[in-house]
Amino acid sequence: VSLLPLASLSLIQGQKATFAVTNVGSAATSYQWAYSDPSTLTQNTLSDGLQASGSTIFGSATSTLIISNVNLGDIGYYIATVGNSYGSAQESTTLGVQPLSAQIKTNMLIDPGFESGVFALSSSAGWSGFNGAVFQSTNDYYYLTAIPVVVLNGSNCMQIFSTGAGTYNGVFQDRPAQPGNIYTGNAWFYTPSLDQIGGNGQCFLEVQFRDAGNGPLKQYKSANFTASSPVDTWVNMQPTNVYASDLVTFLGTAPYMVAPPGTASVRFQITYLADTGGSVYADVTNLRLRSPSATASVSGNNSVITFPTLYGPIYDVLYKTNLTDATWKVLTSVTGDGTVKSISNPIGAKTRFHTVNTE
């Protein structure tokens, strides 16, 4: 038995997860899926039916596992064991679930508050860490002390720490993006007086728009968080400095981030360039779509407004007959589900101006 790798998933609470294992070796005669809790790593064999989390499982002994109505209790690792007369093989993957709430459903980031407590198998499925990065909770303590870690929201945050002078340390994740979309972003940083940023160390938030080959097109970067920054205080960092594709050439400042032509993904990254030691804690990260990139066309006697959506937000399609009108009128509203929406409007005698708003 020889299996292809399984792709990780990140879903909104209530959606359906589908994992399909592919055998490229000799014919399989048995399949069995198991679940491993990320906090205990205890592995339990799955069976079909209603689960304690409130979800329902189908296909636990087949090549395709389906979890309908996913909930927060379904977060974790899923392991497929495939066997035949020659032996067996295993492949594992992860499932991330975001709660469906007004605060989180418009946030493009997976696990924005680091509440999962585990790194994802890939940067497109959640947080990936490099060098000095570890999840911390209110049950943990600052370096070499008995003082509990301060968390801004929830129970967890991320500690990014020095692994030596000149080292880059941090976390990042990659999300799908489209050219022309407009974003806002921020993250909260904290350096404790008990383990303060040392020397010339600097921590910053980077948001990079990347092409289909994962090459950088443009970068938005925050100011540097340094040893001169306030200690024992959470500070909001926003990426307002703009750099070219070489990530070095400074282009100016901007209040919003605009995905350039050729964009296929956006990378949200917190980086700590260390000097003589110290730590930075991060929490409550945000990457939000401020305004979708809408296009207009004519089909017969209708004007057609087309725009991409994220899962969760409500998109208002608005219009004016004159740009000097005091207010926009609502043509229609649609709930985003991750697909591209097209709204038709009969062409009348008067000129109409359209916009799409998510706020």
Side-chain angles (χ1 to χ4, degrees):
V1 180
S2 180
L3 306 178
L4 293 179
L6 287 165
S8 298
L9 291 177
S10 177
L11 303 175
I12 303 292
Q13 188 176 9
Q15 290 185 304
K16 181 175 70 175
T18 301
F19 296 113
V21 64
T22 302
N23 173 29
V24 294
S26 53
T29 57
S30 66
Y31 296 89
Q32 183 59 61
W33 291 86
Y35 166 78
S36 179
D37 187 300
S39 60
T40 64
L41 296 181
T42 301
Q43 186 169 316
N44 297 303
T45 300
L46 292 173
S47 57
D48 289 0
L50 183 65
Q51 307 298 301
S53 66
S55 64
T56 302
I57 283 181
F58 306 92
S60 60
T62 71
S63 61
T64 302
L65 177 71
I66 297 174
I67 310 170
S68 65
N69 190 34
V70 297
N71 280 286
L72 302 185
D74 298 313
I75 294 172
Y77 302 98
Y78 289 83
I79 305 97
T81 302
V82 181
N84 59 19
S85 58
Y86 298 101
S88 64
Q90 286 188 334
E91 278 292 336
S92 64
T93 186
T94 58
L95 172 63
V97 180
Q98 295 187 61
L100 183 58
S101 68
Q103 175 64 25
I104 293 179
K105 67 183 179 182
T106 60
N107 194 343
M108 291 188 66
L109 296 176
I110 302 165
D111 189 21
F114 306 105
E115 295 303 303
S116 70
V118 294
F119 288 115
L121 293 181
S122 70
S123 62
S124 61
W127 294 108
S128 289
F130 54 97
N131 296 327
V134 64
F135 287 83
Q136 295 283 16
S137 78
T138 50
N139 295 321
D140 297 317
Y141 302 96
Y142 288 120
Y143 180 64
L144 296 179
T145 74
I147 299 176
V149 167
V150 174
V151 174
L152 180 60
N153 187 62
S155 300
N156 287 0
C157 64
M158 177 62 64
Q159 180 190 6
I160 304 168
F161 57 91
S162 168
T163 54
T167 59
Y168 287 88
N169 312 273
V171 293
F172 69 98
Q173 63 175 264
D174 296 310
R175 305 300 295 142
Q178 298 189 26
N181 279 355
I182 303 172
Y183 300 84
T184 58
N186 63 80
W188 291 81
F189 289 2
Y190 180 102
T191 185
S193 55
L194 299 168
D195 190 25
Q196 185 180 357
I197 295 175
N200 294 317
Q202 50 190 253
C203 187
F204 41 86
L205 171 61
E206 302 171 273
V207 177
Q208 299 173 1
F209 292 101
R210 294 176 167 249
D211 60 25
N214 204 31
L217 297 170
K218 182 181 284 188
Q219 174 175 270
Y220 291 78
K221 179 177 174 291
S222 72
N224 292 327
F225 194 68
T226 68
S228 299
S229 300
V231 297
D232 300 330
T233 300
W234 285 100
V235 178
N236 186 256
M237 306 296 289
Q238 300 181 28
T240 56
N241 298 308
V242 189
Y243 292 84
S245 59
D246 60 7
L247 309 183
V248 175
T249 303
F250 180 65
L251 300 178
T253 62
Y256 306 119
M257 299 176 290
V258 183
T263 294
S265 66
V266 56
R267 173 166 293 184
F268 189 99
Q269 179 167 308
I270 300 171
T271 303
Y272 177 27
L273 173 55
D275 185 12
T276 59
S279 294
V280 175
Y281 291 75
D283 203 357
V284 189
T285 59
N286 281 284
L287 180 65
R288 297 180 186 272
L289 184 67
R290 180 175 177 83
S291 175
S293 178
T295 59
S297 61
V298 175
S299 177
N301 293 321
N302 294 307
S303 61
V304 181
I305 310 300
T306 303
F307 54 94
T309 68
L310 299 174
Y311 184 90
I314 295 175
Y315 295 79
D316 294 324
V317 182
L318 310 173
Y319 73 93
K320 288 182 177 182
T321 54
N322 290 288
L323 287 178
T324 56
D325 291 349
T327 60
W328 291 89
K329 297 180 180 179
V330 177
L331 175 63
T332 188
S333 298
V334 297
T335 300
D337 57 8
T339 65
V340 175
K341 301 294 185 182
S342 292
I343 305 300
S344 294
N345 185 30
I347 297 174
K350 293 184 177 180
T351 300
R352 275 194 171 184
F353 301 90
H354 295 87
T355 188
V356 181
N357 188 12
T358 59
E359 298 181 331

